[in-house]
Amino acid sequence: MSKKLWETAPHLALRAGANFDLAGLDRSSTPGFDGDKDDGKDRMEERAELLNELQERLFAAGKHGAKESVLLVIQGLDTAGKGGIVRHVMGMVDPQGVAMASFGVPTKEELSHHYLWRVRRELPEPGKIGVFDRSHYEDVLVARVDELVEEEVWRKRYDEINRFEQKIVDSGTTIIKVALMCSKEEQAGRILERIERPDKRWKHNPGDLDTRAEWDDYQEAYQDVFRLTSTDYAPWYVVPADKKWYSRVAVTELLTQALIDIDPQWPKPRWHVDVQKRRLFETVDPDIVDELEQAVAEQVADAEDDHGDYLKTKEKVAELATVDDGDRAPTVEESEEDEALSNVRTMAAASTGVGKGAKDQDKDNKSKKSKKDKKSKKSKKDKKSKKKKGKGAKN
Amino acid sequence: MSKKLWETAPHLALRAGANFDLAGLDRSSTPGFDGDKDDGKDRMEERAELLNELQERLFAAGKHGAKESVLLVIQGLDTAGKGGIVRHVMGMVDPQGVAMASFGVPTKEELSHHYLWRVRRELPEPGKIGVFDRSHYEDVLVARVDELVEEEVWRKRYDEINRFEQKIVDSGTTIIKVALMCSKEEQAGRILERIERPDKRWKHNPGDLDTRAEWDDYQEAYQDVFRLTSTDYAPWYVVPADKKWYSRVAVTELLTQALIDIDPQWPKPRWHVDVQKRRLFETVDPDIVDELEQAVAEQVADAEDDHGDYLKTKEKVAELATVDDGDRAPTVEESEEDEALSNVRTMAAASTGVGKGAKDQDKDNKSKKSKKDKKSKKSKKDKKSKKKKGKGAKN
């Protein structure tokens, strides 16, 4: 299929820059994706194999000393499709590599600690893809809208969250923050469905109607989240969510691109192949050794073919990340669109430890870097990350 | 498809009775399944929808006060395919409903506690499907073969494990214990593949060759596990594992049958539909209410159709459980085969709290019950469980 469905890579089309304007977001749109529901499903099937290998590599590297992990933070109001993302996107990869955590109303024990305490405990181990269904952002969303704490308390949290995430990124975790944004009308239909369908009723909570009544306050609170915590090292991706298929394919792409950026490598063995083979054959009937060797030679050849396919596919998908002339997230002033973009490439640099807080990022937006500049930064990072990986495997 | 692939339901074909003989097991066989690899894959695809609904119902019920959960214990020597079961079988259902735990070499902290301590902490919450990649059985396998503890210590553990599992079952958890048994030749090929394939090397541990050298001791230890801990409330299913596709489809069927036995119901709402609708419509543009109601009416109709399909499929699959004239796990004496079977139906009764220890089970084997008898027991349990569920939903 030569159809170019993503005019723009999703992390370019969906990333919330400093001037992101939530009110301007068309929630039934499909930014960057020039296809329909069936195209979306095809795309997800197409990605399955690549995503699986990337995930397994991340897991394998993590088992052998590499530090990298991924944290997918999923936010959105009730019925926005958070559960569907977990089921349909995370359901594509090996459950052994996924660490789920969902953050509901805090328990008594959780309330007796700092609000980041329960979050810290659920951060993914090296090699894992952590998934947060809601997160520490509830502490500047529901806590703000429902006035659970004083304004001076939640106001301080944005910076605190930025510092917290900076540390997480520094420790080797790529953070993907996804906000699923559906329209108020669409939410009405989804809530009605939950009320009317016997197999959906268990999901409906009368409290969701109270939250819905605070719609505008939540939009404002989300706008501030994007304005204050979409950093270069942990940016927000605001995903229009009226079309469930779109939000799923978008998150699939975000996850795939993040893993390609990490570029996890199969660990090198700490043992010698010939020694292991000799020891193995001591336990095998000598008559079948030839047969075994032949069978495995075929498997190795197949694996080499697969590896070639993997490299080609990965390259092709990575290329998307260099296209930057498509749709983009809406910003407050049309003329400032470029600024939102100028930030995108520095995201890659963040994991080398040069990430900055939200305020510094604002400054960065003002100084536009040439594409060349950004590219050289990226390739430097690639080398560094490969070096680190090789070391990790020896630990 | 009218092709009857399972001549016998897998929990009848694979269940280890009191006289199960591991040495007599053909590890490349496909007990109960009259099909090839493609048939096996088809069967898994065919089960996906049913399994998904069963899992979601279990999860939903658990969220609303029902106690039921499932614990899948996966045992097997290195390369037996434990990880593949997790990836391919558990990968079929929503990751939100699965709680993974793997038990490797105990950590210092774990060693400072009773051997069941780390297991207890990972038991599934209500509504979840817990999966153990290795388990407390390592404490009567590696601990015994490698003489990590005195014989008098591990000898006591079988009874202790039975009592432990009895409590778990009493609390509402259905335990499915699966032992993946591959042949020594097949293991050689798989280890060689791990040594030779660059993308598999991370899985090879030189220690696996030491374990392989103790093959016969492990077979003996496994034989004792089956002999002493295959209780009526938590039986062992010994799965020939030379054909990976077979072990995957077999575990899929075991899980499906266990969930059908639980028969989880959608929770009844604690709120009134009309009240909720009225409250919702207060927040909706009056002009679109009709449109919303119409759209949802269609969804409700679709859901009703789906529900009809679900009931039919479930019934069809449940019927398999009544066929008992096919292949069966090998037993020490041919004439004692029937005894292994007589136990099967009492498994269903276990969750009502009448489970017994391994010794009592032996007695049960001697007194054969009529099919009629067992059926009446089952339907009684069904009623009881439905009653419990209704109550749960109101909590």
Side-chain angles (χ1 to χ4, degrees), chain A residues 196 210 212 277 279 283, chain B residues 196 210 212 277 279 283:
Chain A
E196 294 276 32
D210 302 320
R212 178 174 166 81
K277 279 174 70 173
R279 285 194 59 204
T283 66
Chain B
E196 295 277 29
D210 302 321
R212 178 174 166 81
K277 280 175 71 173
R279 284 195 60 203
T283 67

Side-chain angles (χ1 to χ4, degrees), chain A residues 92-125:
Chain A
M92 290 169 81
V93 304
D94 190 346
Q96 287 164 106
V98 178
M100 285 288 318
S102 69
F103 298 95
V105 179
T107 62
K108 266 189 191 169
E109 193 194 7
E110 286 169 355
L111 281 174
S112 74
H113 291 273
H114 188 267
Y115 71 98
L116 292 175
W117 176 78
R118 64 174 186 167
V119 177
R120 203 171 273 125
R121 313 167 73 197
E122 301 282 358
L123 291 173
E125 293 164 33

Side-chain angles (χ1 to χ4, degrees), chain B residues 11-207:
Chain B
H11 62 276
L12 299 178
L14 299 171
R15 189 178 184 283
N19 304 301
F20 176 79
D21 176 27
L22 181 56
L25 183 74
D26 176 356
R27 292 160 191 226
S28 65
S29 63
T30 62
F33 193 75
D34 185 26
D36 61 12
K37 187 173 176 172
D38 285 339
D39 294 323
K41 282 188 180 173
D42 287 349
R43 168 55 55 95
M44 284 180 73
E45 272 176 39
E46 210 183 310
R47 282 291 177 269
E49 204 173 334
L50 176 64
L51 197 55
N52 253 293
E53 173 152 355
L54 285 163
Q55 179 272 323
E56 194 182 352
R57 282 167 169 257
L58 183 77
F59 185 80
K63 284 273 179 207
H64 288 259
K67 282 183 186 173
E68 281 79 1
S69 64
V70 171
L71 174 60
L72 177 66
V73 173
I74 311 174
Q75 281 290 154
L77 292 178
D78 303 308
T79 78
K82 299 183 290 296
I85 293 287
V86 178
R87 179 185 285 255
H88 295 276
V89 182
M90 299 321 299
M92 291 168 79
V93 303
D94 189 345
Q96 287 163 108
V98 178
M100 285 287 318
S102 68
F103 298 94
V105 178
T107 63
K108 265 189 193 169
E109 194 196 5
E110 287 168 353
L111 281 175
S112 75
H113 291 273
H114 188 267
Y115 70 99
L116 293 174
W117 176 77
R118 64 174 185 167
V119 177
R120 202 170 274 125
R121 312 168 74 198
E122 301 283 359
L123 292 174
E125 293 163 33
K128 289 275 182 90
I129 300 176
V131 182
F132 284 2
D133 178 353
R134 300 186 192 263
S135 65
H136 44 295
Y137 284 99
E138 291 298 324
D139 296 293
V140 287
L141 290 164
V142 62
R144 166 177 169 165
V145 173
D146 285 354
E147 297 179 358
L148 303 179
V149 294
E150 297 292 337
E151 175 163 351
E152 61 174 328
V153 174
W154 58 255
R155 279 247 174 255
K156 278 193 299 191
R157 287 181 176 169
Y158 299 102
D159 272 349
E160 198 169 30
I161 286 173
N162 287 334
R163 287 194 301 272
F164 174 62
E165 292 182 349
Q166 172 74 74
K167 275 186 204 153
I168 297 169
V169 169
D170 286 349
S171 76
T173 303
T174 299
I175 304 182
I176 308 169
K177 298 189 297 201
V178 168
L180 303 173
M181 289 291 143
C182 82
S183 66
K184 200 173 176 187
E185 294 69 35
E186 177 68 22
Q187 192 196 47
R190 292 184 189 178
I191 291 180
L192 187 59
E193 194 184 350
R194 287 185 176 181
I195 295 172
E196 295 277 29
R197 274 180 60 173
D199 57 330
K200 294 270 188 190
R201 284 187 179 136
W202 68 277
K203 291 186 182 183
H204 177 67
N205 181 343

